[in-house]
């Protein structure tokens, strides 16, 4: 230890060196690191050293221990002292940034906001920190669902970046604002903003990786905007551009040269995270379009990449990506007749949500919706209704709300005795009048639901009108599943009306499309119709072949049904309140026995 007679720099540098040595040891020796830093105060150091040491202690305690109260105390001292020192921006604003982060972790959001506002106010001569603190406060408002305040701050950031000559960071602010406007469904404001962003991105000449990452951000917003609108065909050129862009990024080397403008020192996402995100939007597209094998392929690639990344990186965004991927692949599995696997993956989403209250709060409605879809697939209609009702209570997202209501309506149609509730729901998703969302896909689905109800009520001409509308819309945007469902239902109507030729013209393409998707339920339905059609027309061989197909599909679905209902995870269908169950109890036996199914 340095003696009191030595120059302050030598004892300070010695303690700092020891502290850093202990912090970077393998494994880190955090207790010894903290002791070294605390020893600095014994020497009554000057204010600059005192403030910096409080910041270092606060940072080490915050990142490496659970002693958040002590971390907070050191960071508050660093922030207080550093404000009294001129030319001490890095310590001052890093203390403010870290302290507000800690306040949020301790649910003291009302302490974090004024702190960030004060730091933003006094950082205008320090472009990097001013931009970073604006991003941080905007993110805080976003987490609180106050998107209007967040958008205002991002607008302020964009104008500031323009004034300090950083077109790159201006684009980042504007793209972030565009993302929030999309979340708010303010489409009138989104279009001019995205047009401006496109011009800025194309005109900016700088680091190639930064330029391409801006293009990825821009194209991801465009693709998700199209997919939200259910425009699966229209999105293809943008999606192709996005996929080419990520390939370009993966061939570029990270340049270590720092930008000359300190306001440019930002990255939207690491390259590896962008790759996963592009896989994710490709999966979303494949699922909506009904290319389920392609969706499976890209999900496998993305999940493998995520597993590798999560070994080195505990960023919360990776868990969000994983949950969204699983949500999409679960829907695919239910369509392709893999209910048992879907159920295990629903349980996996529950486990991920148990680890993060924020993740659960953002995905609770989707989780109950998936359980509702699973319940429909195993014919547990009461549980399906309970799951969808829970999901409706938990969501404020208009597209998800419409999707849930559409599926709940299908449950009421199948039950056949819920007329009042059914008509009340159908009024709220009337595709001919004031449809609640702009989604092409959901509106086409609403026409299908109307057609299904008219079919069950024996109003066949009305059913045909609705289904032809669905077909027109689904053909326009390559919505293969809706096309297959509409064709087979039209085929059924023509069969009931005795028009066998027209029925065959509908059922054969429905079967071909269902095989291509593959959609197990539509294949089962189509093969049953083909069997009856061929029998009625005296085509014995074709009838026998269709009967054999129907038998095979029935067996596959039955075996999968029994496997799913025998899993302990099947008990999740009863969970409708609070956080996901920690451990799912195994049952005494399957809820659905073979005898009751046959």
């Amino acid at each position: 230890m340095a003696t009191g007679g030595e120059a302050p720099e030598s004892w300070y540098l010695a303690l700092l060196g020891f502290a850093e040595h202990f912090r970077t040891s393998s494994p880190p020796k955090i207790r010894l690191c903290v002791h070294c830093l605390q020893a600095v105060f014994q020497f009554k150091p000057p204010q600059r050293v005192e403030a910096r040491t409080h910041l270092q202690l606060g940072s080490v305690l915050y990142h490496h221990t659970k002693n958040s109260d002590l971390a907070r105390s050191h960071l508050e001292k660093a922030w207080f002292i550093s404000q009294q020192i001129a030319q001490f921006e890095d310590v001052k604003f890093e203390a403010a940034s870290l302290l507000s982060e800690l306040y949020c972790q301790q649910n003291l959001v009302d302490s974090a906001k004024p702190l960030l506002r004060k730091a933003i106010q006094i950082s205008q001569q320090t472009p990097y920190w001013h931009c970073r603190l604006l991003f941080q406060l905007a993110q805080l408002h976003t987490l609180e669902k106050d998107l209007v305040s967040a958008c205002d701050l991002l607008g302020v950031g964009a104008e500031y970046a323009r004034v300090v000559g950083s077109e790159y960071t201006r684009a980042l602010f504007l793209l972030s604002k565009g993302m929030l406007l999309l979340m708010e469904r303010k489409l009138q404001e989104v279009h001019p903003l995205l047009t401006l962003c496109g011009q800025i991105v194309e005109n900016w000449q700088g680091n190639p990786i930064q330029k391409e990452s801006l293009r990825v951000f821009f194209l991801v917003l465009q693709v998700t905007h199209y997919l939200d609108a259910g425009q699966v065909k229209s999105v293809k050129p943008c999606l192709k551009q996005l996929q080419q862009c990520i390939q370009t990024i993966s061939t570029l080397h990270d340049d270590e040269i720092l930008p000359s403008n300190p306001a440019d020192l930002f990255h939207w996402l690491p390259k590896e995270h962008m790759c996963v995100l592009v896989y994710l939007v490709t999966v979303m597209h494949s699922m909506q379009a009904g290319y389920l094998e392609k969706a499976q392929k890209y999900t496998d690639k993305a999940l493998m990449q995520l597993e590798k990344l999560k070994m080195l990186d505990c960023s919360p965004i990776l868990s969000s990506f994983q949950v969204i991927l699983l949500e999409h692949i679960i829907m695919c599995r239910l369509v392709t007749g893999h209910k048992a696997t879907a159920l295990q993956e629903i349980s996996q989403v529950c486990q991920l949500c148990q680890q993060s209250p924020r993740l659960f709060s953002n995905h609770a409605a989707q989780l109950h919706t998936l359980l509702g879809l699973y319940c429909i697939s195993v014919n547990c209609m009461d549980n399906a209704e309970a799951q969808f009702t829970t999901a409706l209570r938990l969501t404020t997202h208009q597209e998800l709300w419409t999707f849930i209501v559409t599926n709940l309506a299908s449950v009421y149609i199948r039950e056949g005795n819920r007329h009042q509730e059914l008509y009340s729901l159908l009024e709220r998703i009337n595709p001919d009048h004031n449809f609640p969302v702009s989604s092409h896909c959901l509106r086409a689905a609403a026409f299908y639901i109307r057609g299904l109800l008219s079919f069950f009520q024996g109003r066949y001409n009305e059913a045909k009108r609705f289904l032809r509308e669905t077909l027109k819309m689904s053909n326009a945007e390559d919505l293969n599943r809706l096309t297959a469902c509409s064709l087979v239902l039209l085929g059924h109507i023509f069969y009931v009306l005795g028009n066998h030729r027209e029925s065959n013209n509908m059922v054969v393409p429905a079967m071909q499309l269902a095989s291509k998707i593959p959609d197990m339920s539509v294949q089962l339905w189509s093969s049953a119709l083909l069997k009856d059609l061929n029998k009625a027309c005296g085509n014995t061989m074709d009838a026998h072949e269709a009967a054999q197909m129907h038998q095979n599909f029935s067996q596959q679905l039955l075996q999968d049904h029994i496997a799913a209902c025998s899993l302990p995870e099947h008990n999740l269908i009863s969970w409708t309140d609070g956080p996901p169950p920690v451990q799912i109890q195994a049952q005494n036996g399957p809820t659905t026995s073979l005898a009751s199914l046959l």
Side-chain angles (χ1 to χ4, degrees):
M1 183 63 67
T3 64
E6 288 178 347
E9 286 81 1
S10 57
W11 60 255
Y12 176 56
L13 292 174
L15 285 171
L16 210 57
F18 278 127
E20 186 61 8
H21 166 72
F22 290 131
R23 189 185 71 83
T24 56
S25 297
S26 185
K29 296 171 181 172
I30 298 302
R31 188 185 293 273
L32 292 172
C33 170
V34 168
H35 281 322
C36 290
L37 290 171
Q38 283 173 328
V40 170
F41 301 125
Q42 304 299 317
F43 292 85
K44 302 284 187 287
Q47 265 196 325
R48 293 175 87 86
V49 171
E50 186 185 358
R52 191 179 291 279
T53 306
H54 278 303
L55 172 60
Q56 288 162 328
L57 271 164
S59 179
V60 167
L61 289 163
Y62 175 62
H63 290 116
H64 298 281
T65 74
K66 291 183 180 173
N67 197 341
S68 50
D69 286 339
L70 187 56
R72 177 178 149 192
S73 167
H74 282 295
L75 291 170
E76 283 172 342
K77 285 172 185 167
W79 168 237
F80 176 73
I81 297 166
S82 62
Q83 285 178 81
Q84 301 161 33
I85 306 169
Q87 307 290 303
F88 208 40
E89 275 69 16
D90 273 5
V91 168
K92 189 189 305 178
F93 299 128
E94 191 172 337
S97 175
L98 209 51
L99 181 55
S100 65
E101 211 177 289
L102 194 150
Y103 281 151
C104 291
Q105 199 182 67
Q106 295 187 319
N107 293 322
L108 299 168
V109 176
D110 289 338
S111 300
K113 283 184 200 166
L115 168 63
L116 283 171
R117 282 194 205 105
K118 173 80 184 288
I120 287 166
Q121 187 187 343
I122 61 176
S123 64
Q124 291 192 32
Q125 301 309 311
T126 316
Y128 167 72
W129 277 108
H130 191 64
C131 291
R132 181 168 156 179
L133 293 162
L134 280 166
F135 274 127
Q136 192 171 347
L137 184 54
Q139 185 180 25
L140 177 50
H141 282 302
T142 304
L143 292 172
E144 285 207 302
K145 308 278 195 288
D146 180 3
L147 301 187
V148 174
S149 299
C151 279
D152 288 346
L153 281 164
L154 293 168
V156 168
E159 180 54 23
Y160 176 83
R162 187 189 66 78
V163 170
V164 297
S166 172
E167 285 297 283
Y168 168 76
T169 301
R170 181 188 176 204
L172 273 182
F173 274 115
L174 290 173
L175 287 165
S176 303
K177 184 177 178 180
M179 180 171 69
L180 298 189
L181 290 172
L182 279 174
M183 286 164 67
E184 280 196 287
R185 300 290 174 267
K186 290 190 174 173
L187 304 183
Q188 302 265 303
E189 292 175 52
V190 169
H191 295 140
L193 187 71
L194 284 183
T195 304
L196 173 62
C197 288
Q199 290 163 359
I200 295 171
V201 172
E202 288 313 310
N203 294 335
W204 186 69
Q205 301 302 316
N207 179 315
I209 283 200
Q210 284 185 307
K211 185 178 175 79
E212 289 303 311
S213 75
L214 283 179
R215 288 190 75 223
V216 170
F217 194 170
F218 172 67
L219 288 165
V220 163
L221 291 187
Q222 285 209 307
V223 168
T224 48
H225 178 34
Y226 275 119
L227 291 178
D228 260 0
Q231 294 174 327
V232 173
K233 189 176 183 179
S234 308
V235 78
K236 283 181 180 176
C238 274
L239 184 60
K240 196 170 181 183
Q241 267 184 287
L242 177 60
Q243 289 161 344
Q244 286 166 345
C245 200
I246 203 71
Q247 283 177 338
T248 305
I249 285 190
S250 58
T251 63
L252 293 171
H253 294 291
D254 290 307
D255 293 330
E256 293 302 318
I257 307 159
L258 288 175
S260 54
N261 189 336
D264 285 348
L265 286 164
F266 294 97
H267 275 295
W268 174 51
L269 277 180
K271 198 159 54 169
E272 299 77 13
H273 291 199
M274 281 191 265
C275 287
V276 175
L277 181 57
V278 174
Y279 280 142
L280 174 55
V281 294
T282 305
V283 168
M284 289 164 73
H285 174 261
S286 301
M287 195 214 73
Q288 273 201 37
Y291 306 129
L292 302 193
E293 285 172 350
K294 188 177 174 185
Q296 174 67 64
K297 184 178 88 173
Y298 281 106
T299 300
D300 291 344
K301 283 186 177 184
L303 290 173
M304 205 182 302
Q305 181 97 342
L306 274 170
E307 286 308 315
K308 286 181 195 168
L309 288 173
K310 285 180 93 174
M311 288 175 192
L312 309 164
D313 182 353
C314 56
S315 171
I317 200 170
L318 296 179
S319 295
S320 295
F321 286 165
Q322 193 175 355
V323 166
I324 298 167
L325 275 164
L326 286 167
E327 285 169 355
H328 282 81
I329 204 60
I330 287 160
M331 288 189 277
C332 291
R333 303 242 196 251
L334 292 172
V335 173
T336 57
H338 298 96
K339 296 184 276 285
T341 311
L343 185 57
Q344 287 165 325
E345 285 163 342
I346 290 173
S347 175
Q348 202 181 331
V349 174
C350 287
Q351 287 161 26
L352 286 164
C353 287
Q354 280 162 12
Q355 294 159 23
S356 163
R358 183 175 292 152
L359 202 58
F360 176 61
S361 139
N362 289 339
H363 291 269
Q366 290 91 316
L367 199 41
H368 286 289
T369 304
L370 291 170
L371 280 166
L373 295 173
Y374 167 76
C375 291
I376 289 177
S377 76
V378 290
N379 208 29
C380 297
M381 293 301 167
D382 288 347
N383 297 97
E385 182 185 350
Q387 291 297 338
F388 288 140
T389 307
T390 303
L392 286 174
R393 193 181 73 238
L394 293 170
T395 191
T396 53
H397 189 282
Q398 274 292 91
E399 271 79 4
L400 181 58
W401 180 89
T402 308
F403 179 78
I404 298 163
V405 167
T406 306
N407 281 285
L408 183 55
S410 80
V411 170
Y412 289 154
I413 290 170
R414 289 172 205 221
E415 288 184 319
N417 57 356
R418 307 294 296 277
H419 305 300
Q420 197 173 342
E421 294 98 325
L422 175 59
Y423 288 122
S424 165
L425 282 185
L426 291 178
E427 269 306 300
R428 299 165 82 181
I429 54 162
N430 185 345
D432 285 320
H433 181 67
N434 287 341
F435 194 64
V437 291
S438 59
S439 171
H440 184 91
C441 180
L442 288 170
R443 189 161 168 260
F447 275 119
Y448 177 79
I449 286 294
R450 295 259 167 173
L452 188 66
L453 175 63
S454 301
F455 167 72
F456 276 111
Q457 291 173 334
R459 299 206 304 270
Y460 298 127
N461 284 333
E462 187 180 86
K464 283 191 280 186
R465 181 184 84 77
F466 287 128
L467 293 170
R468 282 181 180 133
E469 202 60 46
T470 305
L471 269 180
K472 188 170 79 181
M473 292 186 75
S474 54
N475 282 333
E477 284 292 344
D478 289 350
L479 304 169
N480 288 335
R481 278 205 67 224
L482 269 175
T483 301
C485 291
S486 305
L487 283 171
V488 74
L489 184 48
L490 274 168
H492 204 133
I493 290 167
F494 284 121
Y495 176 75
V496 171
L497 293 172
N499 189 340
H500 295 165
R501 187 170 150 198
E502 199 60 41
S503 177
N504 195 64
N505 288 344
M506 298 290 154
V507 179
V508 170
M511 185 61 156
Q512 288 166 345
L513 199 49
S515 308
K516 185 177 145 193
I517 291 171
D519 185 324
M520 193 64 101
S521 299
V522 175
Q523 284 177 295
L524 184 73
W525 189 358
S526 301
S527 58
L529 267 173
L530 282 172
K531 179 186 70 173
D532 294 343
L533 266 172
N534 284 305
K535 200 171 169 185
C537 297
N539 303 330
T540 314
M541 290 285 287
D542 291 342
H544 178 72
E545 191 184 324
Q548 192 57 54
M549 273 199 297
H550 186 260
Q551 177 68 13
N552 292 342
F553 292 136
S554 298
Q555 282 303 312
Q556 283 177 52
L557 281 166
L558 186 61
Q559 284 163 13
D560 182 49
H561 185 117
I562 294 164
C565 295
S566 303
L567 289 169
E569 290 88 347
H570 184 74
N571 276 333
L572 280 168
I573 68 171
S574 307
W575 162 61
T576 54
D577 197 31
V582 177
Q583 203 169 7
I584 297 140
Q585 295 296 316
Q587 300 168 180
N588 297 328
T591 48
T592 315
S593 70
L594 185 59
S596 68
L597 277 166
L598 300 171

